[in-house]
């Protein structure tokens, strides 16, 4: 695959064809040219914005290609070094000049009239970035970065010696799918014991990060870190009070459904109580689903799903395959996981994953496919910042596609297997919705109590864990493990408050799906309509355009959960 041979979306106007955008000096020089330009008329300002966007897109694509190459071939040092060099030299070098360009833009906007309605989202983002930029915070942010790396190092180095062999954590989690209950218990306990050895280290890392974050928000003139962080994530359309509303509705409607799901599992497994190691295995003791063995089958059958869903989406997926924009097979040297990345200048999506022939692979491809369709739906917008939506909506695009595509998953399965796959998927969604609320409620508590002690933190976590469903599992004699489960959630350490996005978006995705049950054609055209706006309108309007509501109240959630419950009951 040669990502540089992609069809040209549009000839460059400002950036020289042969500019080496991996070179920090070249890049800074180009941005600096924009700094000295006259932008005092609407025409001049518009061209300036287009040129800035062209440079942003070309630069972003340069970074994307380096990143894609590295993840496709982690064992090639030259490729890895090229990416690291880009991140270490180009990214920091452009920060100051970007701050100056932002200020120049806002200054010009005071006198130059443009389409204010269209630029509303753009302008408010730029204003916020300027407001948050504080010279004295740079050093503190670097310290937080280093602590984040330390967290990764500590967690990444965890291996478990289990029954005479060294195991990684993903290897250990595979044991939880085994039908032998005793084996599961031993594996689970071995992992928990190993993790417990890092407890004090992780508590200490968190304490240091917590202090720094509170300081950073005070320096930027904020009352608390919560407010600061909401702004830095550009959360303009909801507040921490709305998040609390989300927690309440989840507790009221999702937690009881989750309890029913666990009760059903317990019954099917013929157990008197569910223990922490009983959640992953197939409750009826069947061997794992094997939907395909070759990646060409994964592509071929997914192609059929997309064709059945919508002609246009089917054609887009086919084009991605033809252009070599799918790298799906697992192979030695590839980084773990899956992602979609947009090549912003060619305006084409790329999908990376590690398919090995399991049920999850189909959902991952549908998920990343949803992100890819999103990128294509808004590819025509001339402003690169408008060619991607906010996270709370991006994940609607992807998670809704998992559900919509799931309706045609019989391309891979018999009827019984189809139901089994869809049931596992739905139960997973319910579980995650409750877990997101749990994590988010805990994070709110943390930053509302800047002077808390580790002991108070432990108590608070245990309280939230019970509240959001922990009580339905039997943790007898395992309180020490339960009390530090949050150590496993990297978001709390590395990207605080970032997580609720998944919960919010999942509620949106479920609404799309429920719409599709009533009127599939309309639901799909609304979905595509929502995607077509990219990031050019506020979050609630994006939801509205997609035929759904950005609203966490009982009014929306209660009927939604009723529909989901009905669908789940049908799959039993
Ligand atoms: Zn996603």
């Amino acid at each position: 695959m040669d990502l540089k041979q992609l069809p040209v979306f549009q000839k460059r106007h400002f950036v020289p064809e042969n500019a080496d955008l991996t070179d920090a000096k070249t890049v800074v020089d180009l941005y600096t040219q924009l700094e000295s330009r006259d932008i005092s008329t609407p025409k001049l300002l518009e061209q300036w914005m287009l040129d800035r966007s062209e440079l942003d897109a070309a630069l972003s694509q340069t970074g994307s290609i380096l990143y894609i190459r590295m993840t496709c071939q982690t064992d090639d040092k030259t490729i890895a070094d090229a990416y690291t060099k880009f991140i270490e030299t180009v990214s920091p070098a452009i920060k100051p000049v970007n701050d100056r360009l932002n200020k120049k833009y806002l200054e010009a906007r005071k006198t130059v009239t443009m389409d204010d309605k269209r630029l509303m989202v753009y302008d408010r983002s730029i204003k916020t970035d300027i407001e948050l930029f504080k010279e004295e915070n740079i050093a503190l942010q670097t310290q937080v970065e280093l602590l984040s790396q330390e967290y990764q190092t500590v967690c990444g180095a965890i291996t478990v010696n289990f029954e005479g062999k060294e195991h990684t954590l993903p290897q250990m989690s595979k044991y939880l799918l085994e039908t032998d209950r005793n084996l599961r218990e031993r594996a689970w306990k071995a992992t928990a014991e190993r993790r417990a050895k890092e407890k004090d280290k992780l508590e200490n890392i968190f304490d240091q990060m917590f202090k720094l974050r509170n300081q950073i928000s005070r320096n930027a003139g904020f009352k608390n870190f919560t407010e600061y962080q909401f702004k830095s994530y550009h959360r303009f359309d909801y507040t921490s009070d709305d998040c609390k509303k989300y927690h309440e509705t989840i507790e009221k409607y999702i937690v009881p459904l989750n309890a029913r799901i666990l009760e059903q599992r317990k019954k099917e497994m013929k157990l008197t109580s569910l223990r922490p190691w009983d959640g992953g295995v197939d409750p009826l003791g069947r061997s794992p689903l094997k939907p395909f063995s070759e990646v060409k089958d994964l592509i071929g059958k997914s192609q059929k799903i997309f064709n059945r869903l919508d002609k246009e989406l089917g054609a887009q997926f086919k084009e991605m395959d033809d252009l070599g924009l799918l790298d799906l097979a697992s192979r030695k040297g590839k980084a773990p996981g899956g992602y979609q990345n947009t090549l912003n200048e060619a305006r084409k999506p790329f999908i990376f994953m590690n398919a090995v022939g399991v049920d999850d692979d189909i959902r991952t491809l549908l998920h990343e496919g949803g992100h890819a369709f999103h990128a294509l739906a808004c590819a025509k917008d001339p402003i690169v910042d408008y060619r991607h939506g906010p996270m709370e909506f991006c994940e609607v695009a992807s998670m809704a596609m998992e559900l919509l595509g799931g309706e045609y998953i019989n391309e891979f399965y018999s009827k019984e297997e189809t139901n089994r796959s869809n049931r596992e998927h739905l139960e997973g969604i319910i579980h995650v919705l409750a877990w997101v609320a749990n994590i988010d409620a805990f994070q709110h508590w943390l930053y509302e109590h800047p002077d808390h002690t580790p002991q108070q933190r432990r108590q608070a976590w245990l309280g939230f864990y019970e509240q959001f469903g922990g009580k339905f599992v039997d943790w007898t004699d395992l309180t020490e493990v339960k009390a530090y489960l949050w150590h496993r959630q990297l978001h709390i350490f590395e990207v605080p408050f970032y997580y609720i996005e998944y919960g919010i978006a999942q509620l949106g995705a479920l609404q799309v799906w429920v719409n599709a049950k009533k009127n599939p054609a309309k639901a799909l055209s609304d979905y595509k309509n929502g995607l077509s706006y990219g990031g050019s309108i506020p979050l609630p309007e994006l939801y509205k355009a997609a035929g759904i509501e950005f609203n966490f109240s009982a009014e929306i959630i209660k009927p939604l959960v009723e529909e989901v419950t009905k669908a789940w009951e049908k799959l039993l």
Side-chain angles (χ1 to χ4, degrees):
M1 148 198 46
D2 187 354
L3 295 171
K4 288 207 165 141
Q5 292 307 311
L6 288 172
V8 175
F9 185 89
Q10 177 176 292
K11 222 176 120 38
R12 286 181 183 175
H13 171 268
F14 165 61
V15 182
E17 283 304 332
N18 59 359
D20 175 10
L21 300 180
T22 63
D23 176 56
K25 190 180 171 304
T26 308
V27 176
V28 172
D29 282 352
L30 283 166
Y31 279 109
T32 311
Q33 283 180 38
L34 291 172
E35 207 185 341
S36 51
R37 219 195 265 177
D38 174 14
I39 50 170
S40 59
T41 69
K43 218 175 152 215
L44 288 171
L45 180 55
E46 196 192 347
Q47 190 56 53
W48 183 87
M49 288 171 75
L50 292 174
D51 289 345
R52 186 181 182 188
S53 177
E54 179 185 295
L55 176 55
D56 285 346
L59 180 65
S60 143
Q61 177 158 318
T62 304
S64 290
I65 291 177
L66 292 171
Y67 178 76
I68 290 169
R69 285 210 179 119
M70 175 189 69
T71 53
C72 288
Q73 214 175 330
T74 52
D75 45 10
D76 186 321
K77 200 176 169 310
T78 328
I79 293 178
D81 288 348
Y83 178 70
T84 315
K85 184 182 154 234
F86 183 81
I87 290 300
E88 284 178 358
T89 60
V90 180
S91 306
I94 60 173
K95 273 189 187 151
V97 65
N98 257 319
D99 182 54
R100 295 198 298 274
L101 292 178
N102 282 346
K103 286 179 178 148
K104 181 182 170 81
Y105 169 78
L106 277 194
E107 197 50 43
R109 289 281 283 130
K110 282 185 191 159
T111 51
V112 183
T113 317
M114 306 212 21
D115 184 348
D116 287 351
K117 194 164 176 288
R118 166 156 159 84
L119 290 175
M120 194 276 272
V121 172
Y122 186 80
D123 289 358
R124 71 180 180 182
S125 299
I126 288 194
K127 263 183 216 146
T128 305
D129 289 344
I130 294 174
E131 187 189 340
L132 290 172
F133 187 79
K134 288 281 173 296
E135 199 81 44
E136 72 256 43
N137 275 341
I138 295 177
L140 301 180
Q141 274 152 348
T142 310
Q143 285 183 53
V144 173
E145 279 294 312
L146 291 173
L147 287 161
S148 274
Q149 275 177 26
E150 210 179 313
Y151 172 78
Q152 284 174 25
T153 311
V154 171
C155 295
I158 296 179
T159 57
V160 184
N161 196 313
F162 182 58
E163 315 210 317
K165 246 181 82 187
E166 207 62 14
H167 291 70
T168 62
L169 289 174
Q171 283 168 339
M172 286 311 288
S173 64
K174 273 197 173 162
Y175 285 109
L176 298 179
L177 306 177
E178 292 287 339
T179 48
D180 177 349
R181 194 180 193 207
N182 194 273
L183 172 64
R184 291 203 304 273
E185 177 175 349
R186 294 197 308 274
W188 188 93
K189 285 187 170 162
T191 308
E193 264 165 41
R194 176 62 189 84
R195 281 186 182 274
K197 291 198 178 120
E198 308 298 342
K199 187 196 97 186
D200 292 338
K201 236 185 265 170
L202 294 177
E203 284 282 286
N204 185 278
I205 291 174
F206 183 79
D207 279 331
Q208 293 182 60
M209 292 179 122
F210 187 73
K211 247 191 234 145
L212 285 164
R213 285 184 172 132
N214 286 324
Q215 186 60 49
I216 287 170
S217 59
R218 279 195 299 272
N219 289 349
F222 286 82
K223 195 163 86 231
N224 57 43
F225 180 71
T226 313
E227 262 181 39
Y228 171 87
Q229 194 67 346
F230 268 56
K231 276 226 161 165
S232 84
Y233 287 149
H234 291 179
R235 290 180 181 174
F236 298 110
D237 303 295
Y238 62 101
T239 62
S240 55
D241 282 343
D242 293 317
C243 293
K244 287 177 186 162
K245 213 191 275 169
Y246 171 91
H247 310 153
E248 265 173 45
T249 359
I250 293 294
E251 190 187 355
K252 198 158 168 205
Y253 298 105
I254 292 288
V255 171
L257 176 55
N258 199 25
R260 270 195 67 192
I261 290 172
L262 293 173
E263 197 52 43
Q264 175 71 19
R265 166 172 282 272
K266 193 169 82 185
K267 206 170 89 192
E268 287 174 343
M269 290 175 80
K270 301 190 172 62
L271 298 174
T272 45
S273 71
L274 278 183
R275 310 262 13 222
W277 44 86
D278 293 325
V281 62
D282 181 70
L284 297 172
R286 294 163 294 189
S287 51
L289 289 164
K290 285 200 178 67
F292 61 92
S293 49
E294 301 275 333
V295 160
K296 71 172 188 343
D297 280 346
L298 172 64
I299 294 177
K301 289 176 179 173
S302 302
Q303 178 71 60
K304 284 189 185 155
I305 292 181
F306 292 132
N307 291 348
R308 281 170 74 183
L309 259 179
D310 181 74
K311 244 175 72 204
E312 189 188 13
L313 299 185
Q316 288 175 341
F317 184 72
K318 172 140 195 337
E319 194 203 16
M320 289 182 68
D321 188 25
D322 291 344
L323 288 174
L325 294 170
L326 305 174
D327 189 330
L328 310 185
S330 178
R331 57 170 188 272
K332 197 171 166 281
K334 236 173 133 171
Y339 64 79
Q340 182 273 330
N341 194 319
T342 304
L343 299 154
N344 272 319
E345 189 174 26
R347 309 194 192 185
K348 293 284 183 214
F350 173 85
I351 297 180
F352 171 98
M353 58 183 275
N354 278 283
V356 289
V358 297
D359 183 58
D360 256 0
D361 293 336
I362 308 173
R363 302 288 170 184
T364 304
L365 184 54
L366 292 172
H367 180 102
E368 305 308 341
H371 284 311
F373 299 139
H374 199 181
L376 290 167
C378 55
K380 286 202 184 83
D381 200 299
I383 302 289
V384 67
D385 301 73
Y386 277 1
R387 294 205 291 270
H388 55 86
M391 269 293 298
E392 295 87 348
F393 190 68
C394 287
E395 294 301 325
V396 173
S398 56
M399 291 169 167
M401 189 45 69
E402 288 183 57
L403 287 157
L404 296 173
E407 295 292 316
Y408 302 112
I409 209 163
N410 60 1
E411 289 294 342
F412 290 89
Y413 292 132
S414 68
K415 186 159 186 333
E416 191 211 325
E417 290 169 330
T418 298
N419 283 353
R420 177 177 164 193
S421 167
N422 282 333
R423 176 182 162 189
E424 274 174 24
H425 183 227
L426 213 49
E427 291 181 355
I429 289 175
I430 299 305
H431 172 77
V432 168
L433 281 171
W435 178 248
V436 168
N438 182 353
I439 294 291
D440 195 61
F442 177 57
Q443 297 207 70
H444 280 274
W445 181 90
L446 289 172
Y447 293 97
E448 275 163 16
H449 297 84
D451 302 315
H452 73 252
T453 64
Q455 189 54 30
Q456 289 166 329
R457 180 159 74 218
R458 177 191 154 101
Q459 276 323 105
W461 166 260
L462 284 170
F464 289 119
Y465 190 69
E466 289 293 291
Q467 188 182 343
F468 292 102
K471 58 180 173 248
F472 304 123
V473 172
D474 178 3
W475 284 85
T476 307
D477 296 333
L478 298 167
T479 310
E480 269 313 294
V481 183
K482 186 163 71 166
Y484 297 97
L485 282 176
W486 63 272
H487 282 181
R488 303 177 186 189
Q489 196 67 42
L490 72 92
H491 302 75
I492 298 175
F493 289 81
E494 296 184 22
V495 274
F497 286 112
Y498 173 65
Y499 204 46
I500 183 106
E501 285 87 343
Y502 288 94
I504 293 173
Q506 191 61 266
L507 292 176
L510 286 170
Q511 291 180 63
V512 172
W513 183 54
V514 167
N515 288 349
K517 286 189 176 298
K518 289 173 190 146
N519 186 342
K522 181 169 188 311
L524 199 87
S525 86
D526 285 349
Y527 165 84
K528 285 167 71 178
N529 182 48
L531 266 51
S532 72
Y533 288 94
S536 64
I537 54 175
L539 204 43
E541 289 177 37
L542 284 171
Y543 272 62
K544 213 167 155 198
I548 56 179
E549 291 216 41
F550 186 77
N551 179 340
F552 318 140
S553 71
E555 197 191 332
I556 297 296
I557 311 296
K558 189 169 174 277
L560 183 66
V561 173
E562 281 164 8
E563 291 286 345
V564 172
T565 308
K566 258 194 270 166
W568 175 72
E569 284 167 347
K570 270 195 209 154
L571 297 170
L572 293 178

